[in-house]
Amino acid sequence: MSETLSDAIERDDLAQARRLLLAGSDPDAMVIDDYTPLGYCATTGRTEFVALLLEFGANPAYRDRQGRSAADYALARGHHGIVRMLTEAQRGTGARAGSSQVTQTDVGLLRSIWGAEIAQQVARHFRDDTGTQAPMPRATSIRPPQQQNESEPAQPSPPPRAPVKEIDLNALVGQKAAKAGIAQVIALARVNAERRTRGLPAHQVTLHAVFSGSPGTGKTTFARYYAQEIRKLGILSKGHLVEVSRQELVAEYAGQTAVKTGKVVESAKGGVLFIDEAYSLKHAKDDAFGQEAIDTMLKMMEDMREDLIVILAGYTDEMREFLHLNPGLKSRVPNHLFFEDFTQAELAAIFDDMCRKSGILVSPDNRQLAIAEIMKRRKGRYFGNAREVRNLFERALAQQSARLSMRDLKSLTQEELNTFVTADLTEDPEDYVAAPAGDKPVQDARRPMERLEALHGLAGVKRAIREIADYYSIRRLRGEGAASQDVGLHMVFTGNPGTGKTTVARLLGAIYRELEILPTGHLIEADRSALVGEYLGQTAIKTRERVEAALGGVLFVDEAYALSQDIRGGDSYGQEAINSLVKLMDDQRDSFAVVLAGYPAPMEGFLDTNPGLRSRVSRTLVFEDYTDEELAKIAHDFVAQNGYQLDENAAKKLPSVIAALRTAEGRNFGNARSVRGLLEGAYKAQASRLMRAGKPETLDKGELSRLAAEDLGDPSTPGSA
């Protein structure tokens, strides 16, 4: 006798229930005592079965002879997540069934069984229901649910999952070989599912897979597609995707890893477990914690082989070595998909798609420029493919916003708001400055070296960078490229806060770009948190990813000595970051520049933490504290950039206020940062002064933008502004 839908539900066999529904079983078939499958599952708290039945068209509005719906029963039993699912489903179909309101008889009956509070919840929940009685479906044979023990607390049900847009594999750009490979695996699964439906013995097929390739090639998207298609076939009971890395699987203490890994794998039961950078699970033969995670996972893969698919993803070479070190794992994962780097035409198509989805307009010339900018980064094995396209697109959005924000936004046309111009795709937002009169920004036409020379102070820094620029200019005239250079790109910047280290690093990248030493010259900032991981093995990955992002430009590591803050005390993670960075500084020495920045004394000690670090750095630039006069000039620049102006008395008072601030803050004085804070206080003081004077709406633009001496506060009490 063939199995029915009711049998599958009673056995809690979600996969079989899905197969029967796919084969045509009626989701609204009547069961004993007037329960439909939906009503039965709602009463007994079977959330996943409720979701499955709704997916296949079960009617959430049907009411039994007592006028109760599945939502009534779920609410009475405390399954509030199921109530939400059923209510949303009913709203989605526009279905309204039963009488126009819950009758007093119904409320009285509910009160006698479940109490006054729940009875009133039901009444309120369905007070506005209108419609007609749903047709009576035919009967089958599920037994009525057992009454819940009233002494047992009701277990809250999880909220329904939001609908996810299906992935169309054919709509994805490129990856012809990977598409063919995954189609073959799914075809095998589809045939097996059909054999099961017909009662034939299924082939013993392992659906675990390895996805290998460079970053940004679509491995995660393909994993989601895989889970989506397998779910449709009813092979897995849920078909959900769980994405993890080493951090979610490996613990910090002995004995904890097996428990941690077990919980993650258990959460993926019935679906697909996607482990990104799987090779990080075990870095070396003595990585006992990583091996514990692998051993636990192997056992559970075997125990759950009928209801779990594992996908291991990562770089090709690292995955090959990882599987070689773990033969037990290799034998259980027979399906290997390789993801190729995208071609230039495919990267262009990805860029076009991003523009189309965001409504961005790009001229043909600027489109070619964008593709050229992306291709400049295509150096070495760490090219980010689609990630590089997204990085450029998001950077262009940020730079477009910075450019447009200098104008009156309400005056912009729709086309101006939706168009990328050349500078959005190539220039830094700081290359734009506000026009002296008017609200249209103007592009700073000065060359990067000219902008460096225009900075206040920093005579020694300017001289050193000028020497480097001159050296490469002559070398280029001689026809010798950066590959033959013998002056390293990596530097150390030492100085107190607010002395311009980040600004100069950004200009240094632009100078390198102009001299064609580096292709993009962009700046990537990092600190200890961006480079050091939270568990063994993660640090090298985080450091490499930050370097990948900086390829073609400058990696600026602020307070670099924080990496070595406790090496003597056993800070192996910080040492791992330093060692990884030193290796990449050498391996990629022609592809990016590293600037290590911080206070002078700690930086000296930091350079001794790795024998090769000092030799990788070509020179050290010292950023002296600004004088009071230089800071006054910087303050004038800040004021102008923010649309204010100092009146004569305020301009005379400013140097003395800065001197008093330097004295008050002592060793904590932040140079330009402290001046910026001083001016922010002045802006607030000016606003308070104008409000106290009354009728601020009558003031002209000149008065609204003028900073008076009193706004700067008392020199003897800095911060009084």
Side-chain angles (χ1 to χ4, degrees):
M1 186 175 181
S2 61
E3 187 174 44
T4 65
L5 179 61
S6 61
D7 296 330
I9 292 174
E10 285 213 272
R11 288 192 297 101
D12 282 328
D13 190 342
L14 193 65
Q16 178 63 8
R18 177 176 289 278
R19 285 192 286 270
L20 291 166
L21 288 165
L22 284 167
S25 292
D26 185 357
D28 281 328
M30 185 61 66
V31 297
I32 292 177
D33 285 352
D34 206 22
Y35 278 103
T36 63
L38 191 61
Y40 181 88
C41 295
T43 306
T44 54
R46 288 174 162 87
T47 305
E48 292 165 347
F49 281 93
V50 170
L52 178 67
L53 291 164
L54 290 173
E55 179 185 340
F56 279 86
N59 182 8
Y62 171 73
R63 294 181 181 275
D64 61 19
R65 293 186 181 92
Q66 287 74 41
R68 300 172 193 140
S69 69
D72 291 352
Y73 289 111
L75 181 63
R77 293 297 180 92
H79 304 309
H80 300 293
I82 292 178
V83 173
R84 288 194 294 272
M85 292 174 70
L86 294 166
T87 304
E88 289 300 318
Q90 191 166 335
R91 288 173 183 165
T93 59
R96 295 288 186 181
S99 62
S100 60
Q101 58 184 3
V102 177
T103 67
Q104 290 301 317
T105 302
D106 292 329
V107 174
L109 178 60
L110 291 171
R111 185 184 295 114
S112 66
I113 300 174
W114 296 301
E117 183 178 352
I118 291 179
Q120 290 305 319
Q121 287 183 44
V122 174
R124 285 195 300 271
H125 193 71
F126 294 97
R127 184 174 292 124
D128 298 327
D129 276 6
T130 60
T132 58
Q133 174 80 9
M136 294 284 288
R138 67 180 184 275
T140 58
S141 60
I142 287 186
R143 293 189 300 273
Q146 298 297 317
Q147 292 291 325
Q148 178 176 313
N149 187 340
E150 294 183 4
S151 64
E152 295 178 2
Q155 298 297 317
S157 301
R161 289 193 295 262
V164 179
K165 185 178 180 181
E166 278 204 356
I167 297 171
D168 180 2
L169 195 66
N170 294 324
L172 300 179
V173 174
Q175 301 303 348
K176 184 177 180 180
K179 287 178 181 177
I182 201 167
Q184 185 175 17
V185 175
I186 291 173
L188 186 59
R190 185 173 287 118
V191 170
N192 243 9
E194 181 63 24
R195 291 178 63 87
R196 261 194 218 96
T197 301
R198 299 190 185 188
L200 299 173
H203 300 303
Q204 292 300 314
V205 176
T206 301
L207 298 177
H208 306 308
V210 172
F211 289 2
S212 63
S214 299
T217 48
K219 297 187 290 294
T220 305
T221 302
F222 269 66
R224 291 174 182 150
Y225 171 78
Y226 194 19
Q228 167 190 297
E229 296 304 302
I230 292 297
R231 181 171 182 268
K232 287 180 183 178
L233 296 174
I235 293 173
L236 298 174
S237 59
K238 300 177 185 176
H240 63 300
L241 181 72
V242 176
E243 300 177 47
V244 297
S245 59
R246 177 185 168 108
Q247 182 176 2
E248 288 78 29
L249 298 171
V250 178
E252 299 178 0
Y253 306 102
Q256 288 186 331
T257 293
V259 175
K260 192 173 184 179
T261 302
K263 288 181 178 178
V264 170
V265 177
E266 187 66 38
S267 73
K269 183 180 179 181
V272 176
L273 178 63
F274 179 80
I275 306 176
D276 199 14
E277 294 182 332
Y279 49 80
S280 67
L281 286 177
K282 185 179 180 183
H283 295 287
K285 291 182 179 179
D286 59 351
D287 183 2
F289 291 177
Q291 187 61 55
E292 184 181 1
I294 292 171
D295 293 342
T296 303
M297 188 169 62
L298 283 172
K299 182 179 185 305
M300 297 188 76
M301 286 170 66
E302 183 64 27
D303 294 345
M304 300 180 183
R305 60 185 179 276
E306 297 295 330
D307 204 20
L308 175 70
I309 293 175
V310 175
I311 298 176
L312 308 172
Y315 288 104
T316 304
D317 292 343
E318 282 85 343
M319 288 303 300
R320 186 182 297 114
E321 178 64 18
F322 172 67
L323 293 173
H324 177 72
L325 290 173
N326 299 275
L329 193 58
K330 183 178 181 180
S331 64
R332 287 173 172 79
V333 188
N335 304 299
H336 289 242
L337 272 67
F338 175 68
F339 290 74
E340 299 177 336
D341 285 352
F342 290 115
T343 65
Q344 181 170 331
E346 290 166 347
L347 292 169
I350 293 171
F351 177 76
D352 292 341
D353 189 52
M354 288 182 183
C355 290
R356 178 183 58 78
K357 289 178 178 177
S358 298
I360 293 294
L361 305 175
V362 185
S363 70
D365 287 345
N366 282 332
R367 177 182 180 273
Q368 290 303 316
L369 175 62
I371 304 309
E373 288 289 318
I374 294 166
M375 296 307 293
K376 283 179 183 178
R377 298 171 181 262
R378 192 163 197 160
K379 286 190 174 183
R381 64 193 293 259
Y382 298 129
F383 178 64
N385 289 280
R387 293 183 192 173
E388 299 290 356
V389 181
R390 178 163 295 281
N391 289 343
L392 177 132
F393 183 81
E394 291 178 351
R395 191 183 76 203
L397 282 176
Q399 294 178 176
Q400 182 213 40
S401 299
R403 173 174 58 84
L404 295 179
S405 66
M406 296 180 184
R407 299 178 57 183
D408 178 5
L409 296 179
K410 294 187 181 301
S411 69
L412 297 174
T413 65
Q414 194 82 357
E415 184 176 352
E416 286 175 317
L417 282 169
N418 291 331
T419 300
F420 281 164
V421 301
T422 301
D424 298 333
L425 298 164
T426 58
E427 303 295 333
D428 189 274
E430 294 192 6
D431 292 340
Y432 274 85
V433 295
D439 57 9
K440 277 198 173 185
V442 294
Q443 188 174 359
D444 192 338
R446 295 173 299 175
R447 297 170 60 189
M449 197 69 216
E450 293 173 338
R451 299 208 297 274
L452 175 68
E453 296 288 359
L455 297 177
H456 300 293
L458 307 177
V461 171
K462 294 174 184 176
R463 183 172 56 254
I465 294 178
R466 193 183 309 117
E467 290 174 358
I468 296 171
D470 291 345
Y471 174 84
Y472 281 110
S473 295
I474 296 300
R475 182 172 284 279
R476 186 170 60 170
L477 291 173
R478 292 169 57 187
E480 298 176 359
S484 62
Q485 57 87 16
D486 54 10
V487 175
L489 302 179
H490 310 313
M491 297 186 190
V492 169
F493 287 3
T494 65
N496 290 322
T499 49
K501 297 186 291 294
T502 306
T503 299
V504 171
R506 183 175 286 109
L507 287 171
L508 181 65
I511 291 168
Y512 282 162
R513 179 182 65 203
E514 184 179 61
L515 294 172
E516 299 181 1
I517 299 169
L518 293 175
T520 64
H522 65 291
L523 184 76
I524 297 293
E525 298 183 51
D527 55 14
R528 178 184 169 94
S529 65
L531 300 174
V532 175
E534 299 176 359
Y535 54 84
L536 184 66
Q538 188 193 28
T539 294
I541 295 170
K542 290 186 70 172
T543 303
R544 187 194 66 219
E545 288 177 343
R546 210 62 176 174
V547 169
E548 288 174 13
L551 290 179
V554 176
L555 177 64
F556 181 78
V557 185
D558 199 12
E559 296 185 342
Y561 40 76
L563 295 173
S564 60
Q565 61 188 13
D566 194 25
I567 286 180
R568 291 182 180 178
D571 179 17
S572 59
Y573 294 173
Q575 188 64 61
E576 183 183 5
I578 295 169
N579 296 343
S580 299
L581 184 59
V582 169
K583 184 176 187 303
L584 290 165
M585 287 169 70
D586 188 49
D587 293 347
Q588 303 288 336
R589 58 185 174 276
D590 298 329
S591 300
F592 80 124
V594 174
V595 174
L596 305 169
Y599 291 104
M603 286 303 295
E604 274 299 309
F606 169 69
L607 292 175
D608 293 328
T609 57
N610 181 289
L613 182 55
R614 194 178 291 274
S615 65
R616 300 292 193 284
V617 177
S618 63
R619 63 178 64 202
T620 297
L621 305 188
V622 179
F623 288 69
E624 302 287 352
D625 284 352
Y626 292 111
T627 65
D628 293 343
E629 291 72 20
E630 290 168 344
L631 287 172
K633 293 177 182 178
I634 291 171
H636 278 279
D637 291 343
F638 287 161
V639 167
Q641 289 168 10
N642 285 282
Y644 290 90
Q645 56 184 357
L646 294 162
D647 67 15
E648 184 177 354
N649 292 331
K652 289 179 181 178
K653 183 180 179 180
L654 182 60
S656 62
V657 174
I658 292 173
L661 183 62
R662 186 193 298 270
T663 300
E665 293 189 352
R667 295 179 60 184
N668 295 323
F669 182 66
N671 288 278
R673 292 184 192 174
S674 292
V675 169
R676 191 185 295 277
L678 169 71
L679 292 174
E680 288 174 356
Y683 304 148
K684 296 174 184 176
Q686 183 239 31
S688 297
R689 173 173 58 81
L690 295 178
M691 291 301 294
R692 286 196 305 270
K695 297 183 179 181
E697 67 277 3
T698 64
L699 299 174
D700 60 23
K701 286 187 177 180
E703 190 61 31
L704 287 170
S705 62
R706 183 180 68 85
L707 292 178
E710 64 182 283
D711 299 329
L712 296 175
D714 186 348
S716 62
T717 55
S720 61

